[in-house]
Amino acid sequence: MTVSGDKKSRRSYGGITAAERQRQRRERFIEAGIEVFGRKGVAGATVRELCKEAGFTDRYYYDLFADIETLFAATFESLTAQLVTDLYGAMFPPQPKLVDAARRGLGAFYAFLQSDPRRARILLIEAQVFYYSGRLHSTITDDPYLSILMPALTSRYPGIEKSDVDSTYTLKTLLGIIISNAAVWYFDGMKKSIDDVIDNQLFVWNGLDAWLTQLSNDAKAKGTKKPA
């Protein structure tokens, strides 16, 4: 009696299915990516070193990843998912004032980077090389952060969606400021305390709050104005 290829691929060894073993290997390679990319960057990484770090041969590597960039994309997605979870935990339930929500969110962001500087290099430096070069553009995106920030704006400033302001563009500009500031902090050896780093950029959030408050008030005034 023979066993079909499909059944062979799904059978378990030691109670672990083939799919689960593959998932575990993928996680090991992502952990290796955090170590190698976070220490040497993508340009300094080799498949041989990544395999050595993960404890697998290149056969298993190429079963999962087409090249080094593919593993970097998976590593970036994994770290971003962890960061977004931390940001949600810090920013929800929503704070009444934008600046208070910003302080909590930024606190979680910087703490995530400081707890493991390899994360900072991957998210702030290596990922930006891909972002601005257009490579991995479908992976290295602002979308996970926009999904948090956009509701924070529209809920606090009703009516801004009816103004001439492009909220998405505004938020992308804001994210650029945050990433640039964090990169400066990283290259300086993360010497400043997180509180100091946040205090030195809250002027951006206070200015944004004042501007959006005015736009929201203008929208309300237009909505209540009686036609002549």
Side-chain angles (χ1 to χ4, degrees):
M1 181 178 178
T2 60
V3 181
S4 70
D6 183 53
K7 288 183 178 178
K8 282 182 179 179
S9 68
R10 290 182 293 171
R11 67 185 177 185
S12 62
Y13 293 92
I16 302 176
T17 64
E20 176 61 17
R21 289 196 304 276
Q22 188 175 58
R23 186 196 66 79
Q24 291 177 355
R25 286 194 292 268
R26 187 176 189 276
E27 288 302 313
R28 288 268 292 278
F29 276 119
I30 288 174
E31 290 171 6
I34 293 172
E35 172 58 24
V36 176
F37 298 142
R39 181 166 46 86
K40 302 178 70 172
V42 177
T46 64
V47 171
R48 176 179 292 182
E49 185 174 8
L50 289 162
C51 289
K52 182 179 179 181
E53 186 67 36
F56 294 112
T57 65
D58 60 358
R59 167 201 161 194
Y60 290 108
Y61 183 93
Y62 288 112
D63 277 347
L64 293 164
F65 307 103
D67 49 29
I68 287 178
E69 288 189 5
T70 311
L71 175 57
F72 180 79
T75 303
F76 173 83
E77 287 181 325
S78 176
L79 288 177
T80 300
Q82 295 174 46
L83 174 56
V84 167
T85 297
D86 286 2
L87 292 175
Y88 267 111
M91 296 181 69
F92 291 88
Q95 300 298 301
K97 294 183 178 180
L98 180 66
V99 69
D100 293 334
R103 182 178 289 279
R104 292 182 62 171
L106 290 170
F109 173 66
Y110 285 107
F112 182 82
L113 301 178
Q114 188 181 61
S115 66
D116 188 344
R118 298 175 303 174
R119 298 169 171 174
R121 176 165 184 168
I122 290 168
L123 294 176
L124 302 176
I125 311 304
E126 301 299 320
Q128 299 313 305
V129 172
F130 285 105
Y131 183 85
Y132 289 110
S133 69
R135 291 146 64 198
L136 298 181
H137 207 62
S138 63
T139 300
I140 314 297
T141 75
D142 298 320
D143 292 348
Y145 308 110
L146 293 176
S147 69
I148 297 175
L149 292 172
M150 188 62 77
L153 292 194
T154 55
S155 63
R156 286 182 175 84
Y157 308 100
I160 61 169
E161 70 280 357
K162 298 177 183 178
S163 70
D164 293 332
V165 172
D166 184 335
S167 298
T168 299
Y169 188 82
T170 298
L171 288 177
K172 284 178 176 286
T173 301
L174 183 63
L175 287 170
I177 293 171
I178 294 169
I179 291 171
S180 295
N181 187 281
V184 170
W185 177 64
Y186 167 73
F187 281 124
D188 194 40
M190 299 181 173
K191 293 175 185 176
K192 277 187 177 295
S193 71
I194 290 176
D195 284 341
D196 281 348
V197 175
I198 294 173
D199 286 343
N200 279 280
Q201 61 179 292
L202 283 182
F203 72 93
V204 175
W205 295 87
N206 283 316
L208 180 63
D209 174 59
W211 179 49
L212 293 179
T213 296
Q214 184 61 56
L215 289 176
S216 180
N217 289 339
D218 289 347
K220 290 177 185 176
K222 288 181 181 179
T224 58
K225 187 176 180 181
K226 294 181 180 181

